[in-house]
Structures are given as structure tokens and as C-alpha cells.
Amino acid sequence: MAWTNEDLREQFAEIATLLRLKGEDQFRVRAYERAADAIAAARVDLATLDRDELAALPGIGKSTAEKILEQRAHGTIRLLADLRAEIPTGLIELTRVPGLGPKTAVQLHRELGVDSVEALQAALEAQQVRELPGLGAKTEDNLRVAISRMGAKDTARVPVADALPVAEALRAELAALPEAVEVAYAGSLRRMRETVGDIDILAASTEPGPVMQAFHAAPVVREILAAGEKKSSVLTVRGLQADLRVVAPEAWGAALVYFTGSKAHNIRIRERAVRRGLTLNEYGLFQRDDAAEDGIGERVASRTEADVYAALDLDWVPAPMREDSGEVEAAAEGRLPRVVTLADLRGDLHGHSDWSGDGKVPLEDMVAAAAARGWDYWAVTDHAEDLALNGLSKAQMLARRERISALNEAVDITVLDGAELNIDGEGGLDYDWDFLLTFDWCVASIHTLFARGEAEQTQRILSAMQHPAVHAIGHPTGRKIGKRPGYDIDLDAVLDAAAETGTALEINGSPHRLDIAADVVRRAVERGVTLTIATDAHSLGDLDNARWGVLTAQRGWATAGDVLNCRALQGLRAFVAAKRERVG
DNA sequence: GCCGTTTTCGGCCCGACTGTTTTCAGTCG
């Protein structure tokens, strides 16, 4: 039976949910949740591990290892089957209503026979819910609103590209206040996850009141969901929830750690604190003091993130790496890789001018903007002839080449004469073989025939990589976050071929793409594949995509050494020459 | 159920907000 880590993760998560509904010991429930997280974080196929190897994974012990083997042998886990038979399936559905947790779901089922969202709606109409102990009329109202929102799909995660402008608007609004000492967005947005469930804004101030008020009054805010002295939740224009926390300036670092997460990372470092006789919360790292009423003693660290990590004998962990996928152990042992930063980039290797149909800005202006960023080189990779709408004919490319030569005499940055080639259905490319060799730099991408099967699709890319002028594969999986999945390709085969042929794989920094994704970056790094961080700029503002590309590279643990455009021009030219040697 | 720089037994991350309460449980992140 073919099954994946994801299948396993779902089954353990369901066990945890059902055990919680059953009223099982919370620590046992959490152990199953952590097992599910551990499975999600595993970067090996668990089907290939034996009992001891499974039990050696953090968060997975003897019992969970047995259940994984059980699943492998029989396709099911007995415990899960028993729980499914015992707990009404409707209860899980009920707990998906925001504000309705396991305790209330069980109570509703036991007292009123409610076993579905529909049944709950009927009970709300009949005003039966307010008769139960601990529940009232206000709770009925809240549940009604929550259910109507579920129907409107307001609660779905949104692509990071859609959340970023809202977060930036809120951040700017608050940062302009004289009362705000620091303002930043944290959470999954700061970690550069591909989709976000909400926006977390953090502010440091000695006067939270005006900051809260400004948050509630921000133009992007539609509705206030909860409002306290230190914490508020609002609904913004996109149906996206935003939370603001205001802390004292001296707590900034601890608060930033806390609100950046991930939850699993936070739990990891808090446990580390506990083992050292410390306690960590959003206000700081404190000594434990059993004599004190709240058990909290002297403050050890809190001003900056680095202070907090250092006090736990950890190297500071870049936010995108905080997913409990080995970074805490690495930080403890001083072997956290020094991941690539924006300052390491020496140039950009994928961008368009208005020579191609979809570029919006003249070549000269794009070059000036690239130079203004301090880059040493910028490759203009206008579309080639096969892309009928946007592409340049050979004659047009030659004309552009003259422009580039003249420009290179005049400007303080090296403009690379490049092209974005189109990989056709059979893996063929634009122009003729020899003409391709006259470019400084070529990136080859798939733009059509997304529906082909995995074998064919993979072969298209592998064929393109065989050409000595194909230096990188652009947006290698073709996905658009929240809009379409990537085409079917055998990523292992593509990674192996990239390493073998000396072809780079692009990390496309467009927040709509982030392609290759961070988990693929990490696999690429482990195999020694060379990467590029590319903006795919079609306008001046798109040059900022470098930032999202860098954060995605950080999520994949890539160092400057893994990234081709962190090399000086000479190193880039050597890579191009080596490709020609290797497959030419 | 997991795990160990106090521990192989006895702990297990921590706090804000809401709604229902007269001090707290449930939910969320």
C-alpha cells in the first residue's frame, strides 16, 4: 500500500483530536499532536525507517513507532479505528467552529444531542444553548456569527502575497505614531510561510492606549473582534484577521520571539528554559522562584531576540528557520548554517524590460534601479521567440544586444545579455543551438502544457538542462500559491539532473510563486544543487522580490555558498563556462 | 505518550480575552 508521511500525520492528528474529545489526559493528547508535528517535520520517507530509527526521531517514542509500523503493515491503526467507532464524527466538525472547543462540543452533544453544525444551528434557533451551564445568550450570538463566517470562507489561509500589503499598511500606520517605539509584523508572515492564517502585529510602547486606538481605526480594518488593553483582534479588508499585541519596550525581544513562533519552535525553547530553571513568556526569560506567588523571579533577558537566545545558550535563529525542524538542536551545538541574506546578493539573474511584451519598464530604467541597489550585475532575460505574445525574434534580440553593449559603456553595473527561454512540449528551446550560445545568461522555463503527466513533464526539464546554454531553470514547478499547483514533476530526478549537469535551480522571489518552495530548497541544498535567487521583475517594484526570495532561501537553510548570484561576476562567468564544458 | 546538563519517574509552555461567573473555565495563539 502506498502511503505518505502526510497520510500518517493526518492519522495521528485525528487520534489527538478524538482523544481530546473523549476527555483523555491532556499530556497524552499533546504527545499525539507532537508526534503528528514530528512526522510533518521529518524530511525522510518514514516508510524507509525501522522501529529504532522511528523511535529515535524527536517526539516519536516506542508506542508511536509501533503504530507507524502497524499502519505500514495493515493500512490502519487500531486505536484510530476504535476511536472513530466511539466518537461521533460530527463532533470534529463542531470544533472547527471558531470559539467552539472540545469541551463545549462534548457538552452540546451530551446535553442536546447536537452532532453537526446544522444541528447546532437548530439548537441556536431554539435558544437551547443558553440554557446550558456556563453558556449564555452572548455565546449563542457568537456561535451564530462564527458559523456564518465559516460559510463565507473567511477563515481560509490566504497567499502570503495577499497578506503582505495589508500587514505593511498596518505596520506603517502604527510606526508613524509617536507612542510606538517599535512596530513589526511577526507570525507566519515573518517566517515567510507561503500562506498565512492571520497577521500578527507587535508594537513596543509605554502607552498602549493610543496604539490600540490607531489599530482599531486603521483604514484596512473592517470590524473589531476583540479589544483588550494589551491585545486586539480585527477583521481586515480581505477577511483576514489581524492581531495586535502591545508590550513594554524592555520586553521587545522576548515578545518578538514569542509572536514569531512557530508554536512548535516556541514550545521547544520554553522546555529548554524549564530544564534550566527558567521560564520564558512574551515578557522575558525569568528565573523560576518557588517563593514568589507567581513562581517568577528575576528577569534574565528580554530586550532583544539575540539576548533571549543567548541566555538559553542558543545562537540566534533567523525567523524563517523557526519551524522545529532541527534548528534548535543546531543552534545549541553552534552548527546553525549562516543562511544567505539580502546583503549577500551581488546581482539578479531573471528580469524583464519592455523589449518583451510583458515587461513594463524601459531597459535603461530597470538597469538604473538595479544599479541603485548596489548590485554588480543584472541579467535582462526578456522572453524569447517561442512565446508568441511576449517574445523577441532573433533580429530583435540582436538589436537589444547593441543597446546592452552601449549601456555597459555608460553604467556602473554589468548588464548581462540574457533570455528567458521557453521549454516546449518536447523539451526543445527557442532559436537555434548556436545562437543560444551567444547569450551571457539563459534561464529556461515552462510556460505551457501544464497538464502533461509526470514522466513527460520531467523529461521536458531534463532535456532542457542538457543544452550547454541553459544555465538555470526558472520557476521550476510552475505553481502559483493559492491559484494552481505546480505541474507534475519528479523533483528527485530534477534535483539530481541539476547537480549532474551543473544547471542552477531558481528560487523565484515573486510572492505569488516562491518557486522552488522552501522544502525543495532544503533538499536541493542537501544535494549540493546550485540555486539562484531571482526577482523575475517585470516592473521596478518587482526588484523587491529579492527580499522574499532570500527569506524563502533561509527557510530552506541555504547559505550564500549555495546561491549563484552571491558570487562576484567572475564566479558567475566561471559557472557559465563550466556548464558549457560539462554538457557542450 | 515522551523524555532526561536535577530526573528512567514525574513532570510536561504560557498568557490574554471572553463570557460566565463572584474566582474561573474554555478557547486561542
Side-chain angles (χ1 to χ4, degrees):
Chain A
M1 168 169 304
W3 54 276
T4 64
N5 288 5
E6 177 55 21
D7 297 330
L8 263 183
R9 188 202 63 76
E10 284 174 11
Q11 296 197 24
F12 280 95
E14 190 179 347
I15 288 173
T17 303
L18 291 170
L19 285 174
R20 174 166 284 130
L21 284 167
K22 198 182 162 190
E24 181 61 74
D25 171 63
Q26 58 162 321
F27 296 112
R28 185 161 175 244
V29 172
R30 227 187 89 205
Y32 278 106
E33 286 176 341
R34 295 190 64 178
D37 290 344
I39 290 165
R43 281 170 298 112
V44 291
D45 182 355
L46 295 188
T48 64
L49 302 186
D50 66 23
R51 185 180 325 236
D52 290 341
E53 289 167 332
L54 287 168
L57 295 170
I60 294 178
K62 193 160 163 285
S63 166
T64 303
E66 289 290 349
K67 290 186 177 66
I68 293 173
L69 295 182
E70 192 188 337
Q71 149 74 16
R72 193 186 298 172
H74 306 111
T76 57
I77 299 171
R78 183 60 188 271
L79 173 63
L80 178 56
D82 290 347
L83 286 168
R84 280 174 174 167
E86 189 181 343
I87 313 285
T89 51
L91 290 191
I92 293 183
E93 188 194 348
L94 281 180
T95 62
R96 296 212 181 97
V97 177
L100 204 173
K103 290 283 200 303
T104 311
V106 167
Q107 186 185 14
L108 288 168
H109 179 250
R110 197 181 54 228
E111 304 292 334
L112 300 175
V114 168
D115 60 357
S116 68
V117 172
E118 288 72 30
L120 173 57
Q121 278 179 302
L124 289 169
E125 287 310 311
Q127 304 198 336
Q128 291 174 313
V129 174
R130 67 178 63 182
E131 302 303 326
L132 299 181
L135 303 177
K138 183 64 181 161
T139 303
E140 282 186 346
D141 284 347
N142 289 346
L143 288 174
R144 254 190 293 270
V145 171
I147 290 169
S148 68
R149 279 215 182 99
M150 281 174 84
K153 287 282 173 201
D154 268 343
T155 52
R157 294 182 73 84
V158 308
V160 63
D162 296 337
L164 280 167
V166 180
E168 183 49 38
L170 287 169
R171 192 204 64 76
E173 190 84 20
L174 300 185
L177 299 172
E179 292 87 356
V181 180
E182 304 264 13
V183 184
Y185 55 80
S188 51
L189 209 49
R190 182 170 179 232
R191 301 201 312 279
M192 201 59 200
R193 274 196 62 172
E194 300 166 357
T195 61
V196 301
D198 64 8
I199 294 170
D200 294 297
I201 308 275
L202 182 64
S205 177
T206 54
E207 294 178 71
V211 182
M212 281 296 173
Q213 282 166 22
F215 183 61
H216 296 153
V220 293
V221 171
R222 280 279 170 80
E223 188 186 336
I224 297 167
L225 300 174
E229 281 178 40
K230 302 173 175 179
K231 177 179 169 179
S232 273
S233 296
V234 300
L235 209 53
T236 69
V237 281
R238 284 196 39 90
L240 189 60
Q241 186 175 324
D243 297 336
L244 170 67
R245 279 291 292 261
V246 185
V247 299
E250 62 266 24
W252 175 251
L256 200 49
V257 170
Y258 176 75
F259 291 107
T260 298
S262 63
K263 190 177 175 190
H265 176 89
N266 284 352
I267 289 175
R268 226 34 193 313
I269 61 178
R270 285 179 180 203
E271 287 171 344
R272 188 176 176 87
V274 169
R275 284 201 299 277
R276 283 151 197 265
L278 304 168
T279 187
L280 177 62
N281 59 32
E282 57 263 58
Y283 302 113
L285 182 65
F286 299 90
Q287 294 286 349
R288 289 211 156 178
D289 181 358
D290 294 337
E293 197 175 333
D294 59 1
I296 288 179
E298 192 179 335
R299 187 193 300 256
V300 176
S302 66
R303 174 63 68 171
T304 70
E305 283 196 336
D307 291 345
V308 173
Y309 281 98
L312 290 169
D313 296 320
L314 294 169
D315 291 333
W316 177 78
V317 181
M321 301 174 80
R322 300 181 195 169
E323 296 290 349
D324 190 25
S325 61
E327 78 281 1
V328 177
E329 293 84 345
E333 293 164 18
R335 54 175 179 80
L336 208 54
R338 286 183 51 178
V339 289
V340 59
T341 67
L342 202 52
D344 292 324
L345 295 187
R346 306 288 291 270
D348 184 16
L349 295 171
H350 186 168
H352 300 264
S353 74
D354 67 1
W355 280 80
S356 48
D358 58 352
K360 295 175 180 65
V361 178
L363 175 61
E364 291 73 10
D365 296 347
M366 291 298 285
V367 167
R373 283 168 192 263
W375 287 338
D376 298 337
Y377 48 86
W378 189 68
V380 55
T381 56
D382 287 313
H383 289 290
E385 66 179 355
D386 286 357
L387 217 55
L389 272 175
N390 297 324
L392 276 68
S393 68
K394 191 168 172 178
Q396 287 172 309
M397 276 293 184
L398 289 170
R400 196 196 64 168
R401 188 166 292 174
E402 287 190 20
R403 251 331 280 154
I404 291 171
S405 296
L407 207 48
N408 271 326
E409 296 296 318
V411 296
D412 211 15
I413 181 173
T414 299
V415 183
L416 296 169
D417 175 23
E420 180 175 7
L421 308 174
N422 182 58
I423 302 173
D424 72 21
E426 283 66 52
L429 301 161
D430 314 65
Y431 311 123
D432 55 83
W433 183 277
D434 290 332
F435 186 60
L436 291 182
L437 289 168
T438 65
F439 285 98
D440 293 327
W441 173 261
C442 292
V443 47
S445 319
I446 285 180
H447 299 100
T448 56
L449 306 171
F450 295 161
R452 295 258 171 114
E454 178 182 302
E456 263 185 287
Q457 212 67 282
T458 305
Q459 194 50 49
R460 287 170 81 183
I461 294 180
L462 298 193
S463 297
M465 283 183 176
Q466 289 304 318
H467 196 288
V470 170
H471 306 116
I473 300 298
H475 40 76
T477 76
R479 64 129 176 215
K480 291 219 173 147
I481 297 167
K483 295 208 168 57
R484 68 172 191 232
Y487 26 79
D488 282 334
I489 52 170
D490 178 347
L491 272 172
D492 286 312
V494 169
L495 292 172
D496 286 341
E500 205 171 297
T501 59
T503 310
L505 291 187
E506 172 179 282
I507 301 172
N508 189 295
S510 163
H512 299 283
R513 293 186 182 271
L514 303 178
D515 182 10
I516 51 181
D519 60 319
V520 185
V521 172
R522 194 146 171 198
R523 285 160 68 186
V525 167
E526 283 166 0
R527 293 183 200 207
V529 172
T530 300
L531 302 166
T532 69
I533 294 175
T535 68
D536 197 357
H538 289 71
S539 66
L540 296 178
D542 284 350
L543 292 172
D544 286 332
N545 289 345
R547 192 171 154 202
W548 318 126
V550 165
L551 291 173
T552 300
Q554 291 185 346
R555 272 182 81 76
W557 294 42
T559 67
D562 298 313
V563 178
L564 182 58
N565 48 318
C566 291
R567 298 181 198 172
L569 184 59
Q570 202 175 13
L572 174 63
R573 299 242 196 240
F575 181 88
V576 167
K579 172 80 198 252
R580 187 179 294 216
E581 283 283 310
R582 182 132 36 160
V583 298

